[in-house]
Amino acid sequence: MQTTSRYEANALRALISDLRWRIQMLDSDIAEEERKAGNADPGSPTYSMLALALRSRRDNLRASIAMLQGQAERAAELSRAA
């Protein structure tokens, strides 16, 4: 059981790292789209629909990271306890 928990914790950390990288890419894409559109206010009626979609995707990834961090912490605790 210890090996599985350690493997799971490592796999989750790798996934979290990848998702953080993707968030950085989305942040860059959002900034570029806002620059092109000349509008960086998401509350504006003329705000880019693409930027809104990218923001939504980024926020979903952040929520996924929070959930995965909890799982990684539990897996690490199991690994230490075994």
Side-chain angles (χ1 to χ4, degrees), residues 15-60:
L15 179 56
I16 290 166
S17 177
D18 180 64
L19 292 177
R20 284 186 177 139
W21 175 80
R22 291 174 189 272
I23 286 174
Q24 289 177 346
M25 296 297 102
L26 285 169
D27 283 338
S28 295
D29 291 344
I30 291 166
E32 178 64 17
E33 182 61 22
E34 289 174 345
R35 186 194 61 75
K36 284 181 188 176
N39 186 352
D41 178 14
S44 170
T46 59
Y47 189 72
S48 166
M49 292 300 291
L50 175 57
L52 281 174
L54 293 172
R55 282 175 171 270
S56 178
R57 174 74 176 137
R58 181 194 59 194
D59 294 344
N60 287 338

